[in-house]
Amino acid sequence: MRSSFYVVYLVLFRCTIGVFAQESPAIHTLAPDSTVIDHKYKEDQIYLGVSYNILLNRPEDVKQNNLSRGIQFGVVKDMPLNKRRNIAMGIGVGYAYNAHFHNLQFLKGDEGMQYRVIPDSVDYSRNRMEAHLLEMPIEFRWRSSTAATYKFWRIYAGVKLGYVFAEGYKFVGDEKTKFSNKDISRFQAGLHLSAGYNTWNFYAYYGLRNLFEDGVVTESGEQIDMRSLKVGIIFYAL
């Protein structure tokens, strides 16, 4: 058993070395001899971002509270389109977590889900919906980079596709309630933009699809067509 483990370990180790040997990350500093520059460099292939999440198209009297937030990270394959390599396409895969705090209560019953604005007479400390997504960003990239510098301007814009693989709802009041909600739309899509210089970059995302499935209404009969707007910062590496 132990010998088999060592064989697998050696195979994985050699494969890993081979992958890194075939394609190295972007290099923006001169080589030790100060004469060789990597003219095949690539940019910003790892990203990490945080955001404040805003619910658009909220039903009447629905308000946000606490700090609705999001986090995202992933990798992007950078594909330069010109000789200077400052114009490129990017396609990647990543993970995102989004939490929204509001006063729209989810009530789970025998006849399905019901939604109501929490009455003023109800004392509660938390009312949250959250989602975990697998995302695919597709973007057009412009930057002022060169092969010998790592500080530059960038503007990246495109679409982001998402699949909600896990979600949940939590209410904390006199009693605690926690459950999964199948009314949440599994497939998401939106426009996204990041722009900035060097480390600090502004990030924005506008959802094109509703957060809930079609036909979901409040107890008063109002359609729930909420979408997400995210604003924050994003960091890039490699």
Side-chain angles (χ1 to χ4, degrees), residues 23 41-47 75-93 136-143 145 155-160 192 194 236 238:
E23 182 175 350
Y41 73 93
K42 296 181 179 181
E43 289 291 359
D44 299 339
Q45 298 190 98
I46 297 176
Y47 66 88
V75 295
V76 174
K77 176 67 174 179
D78 186 75
M79 297 174 285
L81 300 177
N82 62 342
K83 184 176 181 180
R84 181 181 167 184
R85 306 179 77 81
N86 69 320
I87 297 176
M89 291 295 298
I91 182 169
V93 62
M136 176 183 290
I138 304 171
E139 57 194 22
F140 178 79
R141 302 176 137 202
W142 173 87
R143 61 252 180 159
S145 63
I155 300 176
Y156 299 163
V159 298
K160 183 171 286 186
H192 72 104
S194 57
Y236 292 97
L238 298 180

mmCIF file of all heavy atoms in Angstrom, residues 23 41-47 75-93 136-143 145 155-160 192 194 236 238:
data_model
loop_
_atom_site.group_PDB
_atom_site.id
_atom_site.type_symbol
_atom_site.label_atom_id
_atom_site.label_comp_id
_atom_site.label_asym_id
_atom_site.label_seq_id
_atom_site.Cartn_x
_atom_site.Cartn_y
_atom_site.Cartn_z
ATOM 1 N N GLU A 23 4.488 26.135 -19.288
ATOM 2 C CA GLU A 23 3.913 27.485 -19.345
ATOM 3 C C GLU A 23 4.178 28.194 -18.035
ATOM 4 O O GLU A 23 3.628 27.852 -17.013
ATOM 5 C CB GLU A 23 2.406 27.426 -19.595
ATOM 6 C CG GLU A 23 1.799 28.792 -19.697
ATOM 7 C CD GLU A 23 0.327 28.731 -20.065
ATOM 8 O OE1 GLU A 23 -0.135 27.645 -20.405
ATOM 9 O OE2 GLU A 23 -0.336 29.786 -20.002
ATOM 10 N N TYR A 41 4.772 37.193 -22.160
ATOM 11 C CA TYR A 41 4.152 37.279 -20.837
ATOM 12 C C TYR A 41 2.637 37.311 -20.926
ATOM 13 O O TYR A 41 2.057 37.691 -21.932
ATOM 14 C CB TYR A 41 4.657 38.525 -20.104
ATOM 15 C CG TYR A 41 4.101 39.828 -20.625
ATOM 16 C CD1 TYR A 41 2.956 40.390 -20.064
ATOM 17 C CD2 TYR A 41 4.698 40.509 -21.682
ATOM 18 C CE1 TYR A 41 2.427 41.585 -20.544
ATOM 19 C CE2 TYR A 41 4.179 41.690 -22.169
ATOM 20 C CZ TYR A 41 3.046 42.226 -21.601
ATOM 21 O OH TYR A 41 2.524 43.397 -22.075
ATOM 22 N N LYS A 42 2.015 36.910 -19.834
ATOM 23 C CA LYS A 42 0.560 36.985 -19.692
ATOM 24 C C LYS A 42 0.238 37.710 -18.400
ATOM 25 O O LYS A 42 1.058 37.784 -17.500
ATOM 26 C CB LYS A 42 -0.056 35.581 -19.712
ATOM 27 C CG LYS A 42 0.140 34.858 -21.038
ATOM 28 C CD LYS A 42 -0.493 33.486 -21.020
ATOM 29 C CE LYS A 42 -0.309 32.798 -22.361
ATOM 30 N NZ LYS A 42 -0.939 31.450 -22.378
ATOM 31 N N GLU A 43 -0.990 38.227 -18.322
ATOM 32 C CA GLU A 43 -1.342 39.093 -17.199
ATOM 33 C C GLU A 43 -2.502 38.545 -16.377
ATOM 34 O O GLU A 43 -3.389 37.873 -16.903
ATOM 35 C CB GLU A 43 -1.747 40.486 -17.711
ATOM 36 C CG GLU A 43 -0.610 41.316 -18.245
ATOM 37 C CD GLU A 43 0.355 41.757 -17.173
ATOM 38 O OE1 GLU A 43 0.145 41.443 -15.989
ATOM 39 O OE2 GLU A 43 1.342 42.411 -17.532
ATOM 40 N N ASP A 44 -2.499 38.877 -15.077
ATOM 41 C CA ASP A 44 -3.676 38.815 -14.207
ATOM 42 C C ASP A 44 -4.466 37.513 -14.335
ATOM 43 O O ASP A 44 -5.640 37.493 -14.667
ATOM 44 C CB ASP A 44 -4.598 39.992 -14.510
ATOM 45 C CG ASP A 44 -3.912 41.323 -14.255
ATOM 46 O OD1 ASP A 44 -2.927 41.328 -13.495
ATOM 47 O OD2 ASP A 44 -4.362 42.332 -14.793
ATOM 48 N N GLN A 45 -3.807 36.414 -14.065
ATOM 49 C CA GLN A 45 -4.459 35.120 -14.228
ATOM 50 C C GLN A 45 -5.054 34.571 -12.925
ATOM 51 O O GLN A 45 -5.655 33.513 -12.921
ATOM 52 C CB GLN A 45 -3.480 34.118 -14.836
ATOM 53 C CG GLN A 45 -3.021 34.545 -16.225
ATOM 54 C CD GLN A 45 -2.240 33.485 -16.960
ATOM 55 O OE1 GLN A 45 -2.763 32.757 -17.787
ATOM 56 N NE2 GLN A 45 -0.961 33.382 -16.626
ATOM 57 N N ILE A 46 -4.881 35.283 -11.821
ATOM 58 C CA ILE A 46 -5.525 34.938 -10.561
ATOM 59 C C ILE A 46 -6.208 36.194 -10.025
ATOM 60 O O ILE A 46 -5.636 37.279 -10.067
ATOM 61 C CB ILE A 46 -4.497 34.424 -9.527
ATOM 62 C CG1 ILE A 46 -3.845 33.131 -10.028
ATOM 63 C CG2 ILE A 46 -5.163 34.175 -8.173
ATOM 64 C CD1 ILE A 46 -2.751 32.611 -9.103
ATOM 65 N N TYR A 47 -7.449 36.065 -9.532
ATOM 66 C CA TYR A 47 -8.159 37.230 -9.022
ATOM 67 C C TYR A 47 -8.817 36.928 -7.686
ATOM 68 O O TYR A 47 -9.159 35.786 -7.369
ATOM 69 C CB TYR A 47 -9.210 37.720 -10.024
ATOM 70 C CG TYR A 47 -10.359 36.764 -10.257
ATOM 71 C CD1 TYR A 47 -11.512 36.787 -9.454
ATOM 72 C CD2 TYR A 47 -10.326 35.838 -11.302
ATOM 73 C CE1 TYR A 47 -12.570 35.919 -9.670
ATOM 74 C CE2 TYR A 47 -11.381 34.965 -11.521
ATOM 75 C CZ TYR A 47 -12.496 35.012 -10.713
ATOM 76 O OH TYR A 47 -13.542 34.154 -10.912
ATOM 77 N N VAL A 75 -9.380 31.762 -11.336
ATOM 78 C CA VAL A 75 -8.268 31.867 -12.291
ATOM 79 C C VAL A 75 -8.834 32.189 -13.671
ATOM 80 O O VAL A 75 -9.956 31.781 -14.009
ATOM 81 C CB VAL A 75 -7.445 30.560 -12.342
ATOM 82 C CG1 VAL A 75 -6.761 30.306 -11.014
ATOM 83 C CG2 VAL A 75 -8.325 29.366 -12.705
ATOM 84 N N VAL A 76 -8.049 32.918 -14.445
ATOM 85 C CA VAL A 76 -8.450 33.317 -15.795
ATOM 86 C C VAL A 76 -7.323 32.972 -16.756
ATOM 87 O O VAL A 76 -6.148 33.265 -16.494
ATOM 88 C CB VAL A 76 -8.754 34.828 -15.870
ATOM 89 C CG1 VAL A 76 -9.025 35.245 -17.314
ATOM 90 C CG2 VAL A 76 -9.938 35.180 -14.993
ATOM 91 N N LYS A 77 -7.670 32.360 -17.863
ATOM 92 C CA LYS A 77 -6.712 32.121 -18.932
ATOM 93 C C LYS A 77 -6.598 33.377 -19.775
ATOM 94 O O LYS A 77 -7.557 33.799 -20.432
ATOM 95 C CB LYS A 77 -7.182 30.938 -19.800
ATOM 96 C CG LYS A 77 -6.302 30.652 -20.999
ATOM 97 C CD LYS A 77 -4.922 30.154 -20.599
ATOM 98 C CE LYS A 77 -4.121 29.743 -21.839
ATOM 99 N NZ LYS A 77 -2.768 29.266 -21.493
ATOM 100 N N ASP A 78 -5.434 34.029 -19.726
ATOM 101 C CA ASP A 78 -5.199 35.266 -20.477
ATOM 102 C C ASP A 78 -4.713 34.910 -21.876
ATOM 103 O O ASP A 78 -3.731 34.181 -22.039
ATOM 104 C CB ASP A 78 -4.153 36.113 -19.740
ATOM 105 C CG ASP A 78 -3.969 37.468 -20.386
ATOM 106 O OD1 ASP A 78 -4.853 38.325 -20.221
ATOM 107 O OD2 ASP A 78 -2.934 37.671 -21.057
ATOM 108 N N MET A 79 -5.389 35.460 -22.905
ATOM 109 C CA MET A 79 -5.063 35.143 -24.297
ATOM 110 C C MET A 79 -4.824 36.434 -25.070
ATOM 111 O O MET A 79 -5.773 37.050 -25.594
ATOM 112 C CB MET A 79 -6.199 34.333 -24.927
ATOM 113 C CG MET A 79 -6.427 32.985 -24.261
ATOM 114 S SD MET A 79 -7.880 32.099 -24.882
ATOM 115 C CE MET A 79 -9.195 33.038 -24.081
ATOM 116 N N PRO A 80 -3.583 36.923 -25.125
ATOM 117 C CA PRO A 80 -3.267 38.164 -25.833
ATOM 118 C C PRO A 80 -3.673 38.100 -27.310
ATOM 119 O O PRO A 80 -3.543 37.064 -27.960
ATOM 120 C CB PRO A 80 -1.748 38.290 -25.680
ATOM 121 C CG PRO A 80 -1.442 37.523 -24.422
ATOM 122 C CD PRO A 80 -2.395 36.373 -24.435
ATOM 123 N N LEU A 81 -4.136 39.243 -27.831
ATOM 124 C CA LEU A 81 -4.632 39.305 -29.201
ATOM 125 C C LEU A 81 -3.736 40.105 -30.135
ATOM 126 O O LEU A 81 -3.950 40.096 -31.357
ATOM 127 C CB LEU A 81 -6.042 39.911 -29.218
ATOM 128 C CG LEU A 81 -7.117 39.153 -28.421
ATOM 129 C CD1 LEU A 81 -8.441 39.912 -28.473
ATOM 130 C CD2 LEU A 81 -7.295 37.732 -28.951
ATOM 131 N N ASN A 82 -2.768 40.834 -29.593
ATOM 132 C CA ASN A 82 -1.882 41.628 -30.450
ATOM 133 C C ASN A 82 -0.430 41.406 -30.056
ATOM 134 O O ASN A 82 -0.119 40.790 -29.031
ATOM 135 C CB ASN A 82 -2.245 43.111 -30.382
ATOM 136 C CG ASN A 82 -2.091 43.675 -28.975
ATOM 137 O OD1 ASN A 82 -2.043 42.933 -27.985
ATOM 138 N ND2 ASN A 82 -2.024 44.994 -28.880
ATOM 139 N N LYS A 83 0.464 41.929 -30.870
ATOM 140 C CA LYS A 83 1.893 41.706 -30.655
ATOM 141 C C LYS A 83 2.372 42.336 -29.367
ATOM 142 O O LYS A 83 3.196 41.762 -28.639
ATOM 143 C CB LYS A 83 2.685 42.268 -31.846
ATOM 144 C CG LYS A 83 4.178 42.008 -31.754
ATOM 145 C CD LYS A 83 4.889 42.502 -33.015
ATOM 146 C CE LYS A 83 6.388 42.210 -32.927
ATOM 147 N NZ LYS A 83 7.102 42.687 -34.154
ATOM 148 N N ARG A 84 1.874 43.508 -29.026
ATOM 149 C CA ARG A 84 2.270 44.172 -27.786
ATOM 150 C C ARG A 84 1.727 43.455 -26.555
ATOM 151 O O ARG A 84 2.237 43.621 -25.465
ATOM 152 C CB ARG A 84 1.786 45.622 -27.801
ATOM 153 C CG ARG A 84 2.174 46.401 -26.555
ATOM 154 C CD ARG A 84 1.658 47.814 -26.588
ATOM 155 N NE ARG A 84 1.772 48.432 -25.276
ATOM 156 C CZ ARG A 84 1.328 49.648 -24.976
ATOM 157 N NH1 ARG A 84 0.765 50.390 -25.921
ATOM 158 N NH2 ARG A 84 1.451 50.120 -23.756
ATOM 159 N N ARG A 85 0.660 42.670 -26.724
ATOM 160 C CA ARG A 85 0.061 41.851 -25.674
ATOM 161 C C ARG A 85 -0.659 42.692 -24.616
ATOM 162 O O ARG A 85 -0.841 42.254 -23.483
ATOM 163 C CB ARG A 85 1.103 40.941 -25.013
ATOM 164 C CG ARG A 85 1.861 40.089 -26.001
ATOM 165 C CD ARG A 85 2.910 39.213 -25.348
ATOM 166 N NE ARG A 85 2.320 38.049 -24.697
ATOM 167 C CZ ARG A 85 1.960 36.935 -25.319
ATOM 168 N NH1 ARG A 85 2.097 36.824 -26.640
ATOM 169 N NH2 ARG A 85 1.453 35.917 -24.649
ATOM 170 N N ASN A 86 -1.078 43.875 -24.976
ATOM 171 C CA ASN A 86 -1.845 44.702 -24.043
ATOM 172 C C ASN A 86 -3.347 44.609 -24.295
ATOM 173 O O ASN A 86 -4.144 45.207 -23.574
ATOM 174 C CB ASN A 86 -1.398 46.165 -24.120
ATOM 175 C CG ASN A 86 -1.779 46.817 -25.444
ATOM 176 O OD1 ASN A 86 -1.676 46.187 -26.505
ATOM 177 N ND2 ASN A 86 -2.226 48.064 -25.387
ATOM 178 N N ILE A 87 -3.750 43.888 -25.338
ATOM 179 C CA ILE A 87 -5.151 43.604 -25.616
ATOM 180 C C ILE A 87 -5.323 42.090 -25.615
ATOM 181 O O ILE A 87 -4.551 41.373 -26.256
ATOM 182 C CB ILE A 87 -5.597 44.200 -26.964
ATOM 183 C CG1 ILE A 87 -5.481 45.734 -26.927
ATOM 184 C CG2 ILE A 87 -7.028 43.787 -27.293
ATOM 185 C CD1 ILE A 87 -5.814 46.395 -28.245
ATOM 186 N N ALA A 88 -6.319 41.626 -24.881
ATOM 187 C CA ALA A 88 -6.464 40.176 -24.730
ATOM 188 C C ALA A 88 -7.912 39.801 -24.457
ATOM 189 O O ALA A 88 -8.750 40.645 -24.125
ATOM 190 C CB ALA A 88 -5.565 39.683 -23.593
ATOM 191 N N MET A 89 -8.175 38.528 -24.606
ATOM 192 C CA MET A 89 -9.406 37.925 -24.135
ATOM 193 C C MET A 89 -9.081 37.090 -22.904
ATOM 194 O O MET A 89 -7.969 36.577 -22.758
ATOM 195 C CB MET A 89 -10.029 37.037 -25.215
ATOM 196 C CG MET A 89 -10.585 37.781 -26.401
ATOM 197 S SD MET A 89 -12.005 38.841 -25.973
ATOM 198 C CE MET A 89 -13.184 37.609 -25.391
ATOM 199 N N GLY A 90 -10.057 36.980 -22.034
ATOM 200 C CA GLY A 90 -9.862 36.166 -20.838
ATOM 201 C C GLY A 90 -11.077 35.296 -20.591
ATOM 202 O O GLY A 90 -12.211 35.744 -20.730
ATOM 203 N N ILE A 91 -10.836 34.049 -20.225
ATOM 204 C CA ILE A 91 -11.908 33.141 -19.843
ATOM 205 C C ILE A 91 -11.430 32.327 -18.656
ATOM 206 O O ILE A 91 -10.267 31.905 -18.626
ATOM 207 C CB ILE A 91 -12.331 32.221 -21.019
ATOM 208 C CG1 ILE A 91 -13.489 31.325 -20.591
ATOM 209 C CG2 ILE A 91 -11.169 31.404 -21.533
ATOM 210 C CD1 ILE A 91 -14.138 30.578 -21.759
ATOM 211 N N GLY A 92 -12.285 32.177 -17.672
ATOM 212 C CA GLY A 92 -11.810 31.536 -16.459
ATOM 213 C C GLY A 92 -12.888 30.770 -15.723
ATOM 214 O O GLY A 92 -14.011 30.570 -16.211
ATOM 215 N N VAL A 93 -12.544 30.367 -14.516
ATOM 216 C CA VAL A 93 -13.456 29.661 -13.636
ATOM 217 C C VAL A 93 -13.177 30.133 -12.215
ATOM 218 O O VAL A 93 -12.027 30.396 -11.861
ATOM 219 C CB VAL A 93 -13.290 28.131 -13.765
ATOM 220 C CG1 VAL A 93 -11.888 27.688 -13.365
ATOM 221 C CG2 VAL A 93 -14.332 27.400 -12.929
ATOM 222 N N MET A 136 -18.067 31.539 -14.310
ATOM 223 C CA MET A 136 -17.205 31.561 -15.492
ATOM 224 C C MET A 136 -17.160 32.987 -16.039
ATOM 225 O O MET A 136 -18.101 33.436 -16.705
ATOM 226 C CB MET A 136 -17.717 30.607 -16.574
ATOM 227 C CG MET A 136 -16.885 30.670 -17.861
ATOM 228 S SD MET A 136 -17.518 29.599 -19.186
ATOM 229 C CE MET A 136 -17.124 27.996 -18.518
ATOM 230 N N PRO A 137 -16.092 33.734 -15.765
ATOM 231 C CA PRO A 137 -15.951 35.071 -16.358
ATOM 232 C C PRO A 137 -15.415 34.981 -17.785
ATOM 233 O O PRO A 137 -14.510 34.199 -18.073
ATOM 234 C CB PRO A 137 -14.940 35.751 -15.427
ATOM 235 C CG PRO A 137 -14.134 34.630 -14.852
ATOM 236 C CD PRO A 137 -15.050 33.434 -14.779
ATOM 237 N N ILE A 138 -15.999 35.774 -18.671
ATOM 238 C CA ILE A 138 -15.528 35.909 -20.048
ATOM 239 C C ILE A 138 -15.390 37.403 -20.300
ATOM 240 O O ILE A 138 -16.370 38.145 -20.183
ATOM 241 C CB ILE A 138 -16.520 35.279 -21.043
ATOM 242 C CG1 ILE A 138 -16.781 33.813 -20.692
ATOM 243 C CG2 ILE A 138 -15.997 35.414 -22.473
ATOM 244 C CD1 ILE A 138 -17.905 33.193 -21.507
ATOM 245 N N GLU A 139 -14.184 37.855 -20.654
ATOM 246 C CA GLU A 139 -13.974 39.300 -20.688
ATOM 247 C C GLU A 139 -13.005 39.727 -21.777
ATOM 248 O O GLU A 139 -12.121 38.973 -22.207
ATOM 249 C CB GLU A 139 -13.454 39.780 -19.330
ATOM 250 C CG GLU A 139 -12.182 39.097 -18.870
ATOM 251 C CD GLU A 139 -11.888 39.339 -17.393
ATOM 252 O OE1 GLU A 139 -12.819 39.659 -16.638
ATOM 253 O OE2 GLU A 139 -10.717 39.202 -17.007
ATOM 254 N N PHE A 140 -13.176 40.972 -22.215
ATOM 255 C CA PHE A 140 -12.232 41.650 -23.102
ATOM 256 C C PHE A 140 -11.318 42.490 -22.229
ATOM 257 O O PHE A 140 -11.782 43.213 -21.340
ATOM 258 C CB PHE A 140 -12.980 42.536 -24.101
ATOM 259 C CG PHE A 140 -12.079 43.312 -25.011
ATOM 260 C CD1 PHE A 140 -11.488 42.711 -26.107
ATOM 261 C CD2 PHE A 140 -11.806 44.655 -24.766
ATOM 262 C CE1 PHE A 140 -10.646 43.433 -26.951
ATOM 263 C CE2 PHE A 140 -10.968 45.376 -25.597
ATOM 264 C CZ PHE A 140 -10.382 44.755 -26.695
ATOM 265 N N ARG A 141 -9.998 42.423 -22.468
ATOM 266 C CA ARG A 141 -9.025 43.039 -21.571
ATOM 267 C C ARG A 141 -8.142 44.044 -22.306
ATOM 268 O O ARG A 141 -7.601 43.750 -23.373
ATOM 269 C CB ARG A 141 -8.127 41.963 -20.952
ATOM 270 C CG ARG A 141 -8.889 40.903 -20.189
ATOM 271 C CD ARG A 141 -7.992 39.797 -19.681
ATOM 272 N NE ARG A 141 -8.337 39.443 -18.313
ATOM 273 C CZ ARG A 141 -7.531 38.848 -17.461
ATOM 274 N NH1 ARG A 141 -6.293 38.537 -17.822
ATOM 275 N NH2 ARG A 141 -7.928 38.567 -16.240
ATOM 276 N N TRP A 142 -8.029 45.218 -21.704
ATOM 277 C CA TRP A 142 -7.062 46.222 -22.167
ATOM 278 C C TRP A 142 -6.203 46.634 -20.983
ATOM 279 O O TRP A 142 -6.700 46.812 -19.866
ATOM 280 C CB TRP A 142 -7.747 47.457 -22.727
ATOM 281 C CG TRP A 142 -6.749 48.553 -23.035
ATOM 282 C CD1 TRP A 142 -6.055 48.728 -24.185
ATOM 283 C CD2 TRP A 142 -6.313 49.576 -22.128
ATOM 284 N NE1 TRP A 142 -5.208 49.804 -24.064
ATOM 285 C CE2 TRP A 142 -5.345 50.338 -22.793
ATOM 286 C CE3 TRP A 142 -6.635 49.895 -20.807
ATOM 287 C CZ2 TRP A 142 -4.700 51.429 -22.209
ATOM 288 C CZ3 TRP A 142 -5.990 50.980 -20.219
ATOM 289 C CH2 TRP A 142 -5.043 51.734 -20.910
ATOM 290 N N ARG A 143 -4.900 46.778 -21.195
ATOM 291 C CA ARG A 143 -3.987 47.248 -20.139
ATOM 292 C C ARG A 143 -2.814 47.990 -20.777
ATOM 293 O O ARG A 143 -2.551 47.848 -21.974
ATOM 294 C CB ARG A 143 -3.469 46.077 -19.304
ATOM 295 C CG ARG A 143 -2.676 45.019 -20.073
ATOM 296 C CD ARG A 143 -3.443 43.745 -20.228
ATOM 297 N NE ARG A 143 -2.723 42.709 -20.969
ATOM 298 C CZ ARG A 143 -3.012 41.433 -20.871
ATOM 299 N NH1 ARG A 143 -3.946 41.002 -20.062
ATOM 300 N NH2 ARG A 143 -2.342 40.541 -21.583
ATOM 301 N N SER A 145 0.280 47.567 -19.893
ATOM 302 C CA SER A 145 1.469 46.830 -19.452
ATOM 303 C C SER A 145 2.486 46.652 -20.574
ATOM 304 O O SER A 145 2.177 46.765 -21.764
ATOM 305 C CB SER A 145 1.052 45.453 -18.937
ATOM 306 O OG SER A 145 0.473 44.698 -19.986
ATOM 307 N N ILE A 155 -8.426 47.935 -17.881
ATOM 308 C CA ILE A 155 -9.886 47.947 -17.976
ATOM 309 C C ILE A 155 -10.306 46.589 -18.519
ATOM 310 O O ILE A 155 -9.944 46.234 -19.647
ATOM 311 C CB ILE A 155 -10.407 49.067 -18.903
ATOM 312 C CG1 ILE A 155 -9.985 50.445 -18.391
ATOM 313 C CG2 ILE A 155 -11.923 48.995 -19.012
ATOM 314 C CD1 ILE A 155 -10.380 51.586 -19.319
ATOM 315 N N TYR A 156 -11.030 45.827 -17.718
ATOM 316 C CA TYR A 156 -11.517 44.523 -18.122
ATOM 317 C C TYR A 156 -13.048 44.546 -18.049
ATOM 318 O O TYR A 156 -13.618 44.932 -17.030
ATOM 319 C CB TYR A 156 -10.994 43.418 -17.201
ATOM 320 C CG TYR A 156 -9.482 43.267 -17.181
ATOM 321 C CD1 TYR A 156 -8.867 42.565 -16.157
ATOM 322 C CD2 TYR A 156 -8.683 43.798 -18.182
ATOM 323 C CE1 TYR A 156 -7.485 42.405 -16.120
ATOM 324 C CE2 TYR A 156 -7.316 43.660 -18.158
ATOM 325 C CZ TYR A 156 -6.710 42.958 -17.125
ATOM 326 O OH TYR A 156 -5.347 42.813 -17.090
ATOM 327 N N ALA A 157 -13.706 44.108 -19.111
ATOM 328 C CA ALA A 157 -15.168 44.122 -19.140
ATOM 329 C C ALA A 157 -15.673 42.893 -19.870
ATOM 330 O O ALA A 157 -15.041 42.400 -20.810
ATOM 331 C CB ALA A 157 -15.674 45.394 -19.827
ATOM 332 N N GLY A 158 -16.830 42.402 -19.429
ATOM 333 C CA GLY A 158 -17.387 41.231 -20.087
ATOM 334 C C GLY A 158 -18.622 40.719 -19.375
ATOM 335 O O GLY A 158 -19.355 41.472 -18.723
ATOM 336 N N VAL A 159 -18.862 39.435 -19.510
ATOM 337 C CA VAL A 159 -20.004 38.779 -18.876
ATOM 338 C C VAL A 159 -19.487 37.738 -17.891
ATOM 339 O O VAL A 159 -18.362 37.244 -18.012
ATOM 340 C CB VAL A 159 -20.924 38.116 -19.925
ATOM 341 C CG1 VAL A 159 -21.505 39.148 -20.861
ATOM 342 C CG2 VAL A 159 -20.179 37.029 -20.689
ATOM 343 N N LYS A 160 -20.341 37.434 -16.936
ATOM 344 C CA LYS A 160 -20.007 36.403 -15.963
ATOM 345 C C LYS A 160 -21.212 35.476 -15.814
ATOM 346 O O LYS A 160 -22.322 35.917 -15.502
ATOM 347 C CB LYS A 160 -19.644 37.025 -14.618
ATOM 348 C CG LYS A 160 -19.210 36.002 -13.567
ATOM 349 C CD LYS A 160 -18.654 36.695 -12.336
ATOM 350 C CE LYS A 160 -17.266 37.255 -12.605
ATOM 351 N NZ LYS A 160 -16.650 37.804 -11.383
ATOM 352 N N HIS A 192 -19.941 42.517 -16.018
ATOM 353 C CA HIS A 192 -18.997 42.932 -14.985
ATOM 354 C C HIS A 192 -17.892 43.804 -15.579
ATOM 355 O O HIS A 192 -17.563 43.710 -16.765
ATOM 356 C CB HIS A 192 -18.399 41.713 -14.257
ATOM 357 C CG HIS A 192 -17.426 40.920 -15.087
ATOM 358 N ND1 HIS A 192 -16.079 40.985 -14.903
ATOM 359 C CD2 HIS A 192 -17.615 40.040 -16.092
ATOM 360 C CE1 HIS A 192 -15.466 40.176 -15.752
ATOM 361 N NE2 HIS A 192 -16.385 39.590 -16.489
ATOM 362 N N SER A 194 -14.050 45.762 -14.327
ATOM 363 C CA SER A 194 -13.005 46.103 -13.361
ATOM 364 C C SER A 194 -12.047 47.078 -14.025
ATOM 365 O O SER A 194 -11.714 46.937 -15.206
ATOM 366 C CB SER A 194 -12.252 44.855 -12.883
ATOM 367 O OG SER A 194 -11.677 44.149 -13.969
ATOM 368 N N TYR A 236 -5.534 41.456 -8.620
ATOM 369 C CA TYR A 236 -5.042 40.495 -9.593
ATOM 370 C C TYR A 236 -3.593 40.113 -9.273
ATOM 371 O O TYR A 236 -2.839 40.898 -8.696
ATOM 372 C CB TYR A 236 -5.092 41.085 -11.003
ATOM 373 C CG TYR A 236 -6.486 41.316 -11.531
ATOM 374 C CD1 TYR A 236 -7.077 42.589 -11.452
ATOM 375 C CD2 TYR A 236 -7.229 40.290 -12.095
ATOM 376 C CE1 TYR A 236 -8.352 42.805 -11.937
ATOM 377 C CE2 TYR A 236 -8.506 40.503 -12.587
ATOM 378 C CZ TYR A 236 -9.065 41.753 -12.500
ATOM 379 O OH TYR A 236 -10.325 41.975 -12.966
ATOM 380 N N LEU A 238 -0.155 37.462 -10.953
ATOM 381 C CA LEU A 238 0.413 36.662 -12.032
ATOM 382 C C LEU A 238 -0.105 37.105 -13.394
ATOM 383 O O LEU A 238 -0.574 36.312 -14.179
ATOM 384 C CB LEU A 238 0.107 35.174 -11.819
ATOM 385 C CG LEU A 238 0.702 34.562 -10.552
ATOM 386 C CD1 LEU A 238 0.339 33.090 -10.462
ATOM 387 C CD2 LEU A 238 2.204 34.733 -10.517
#
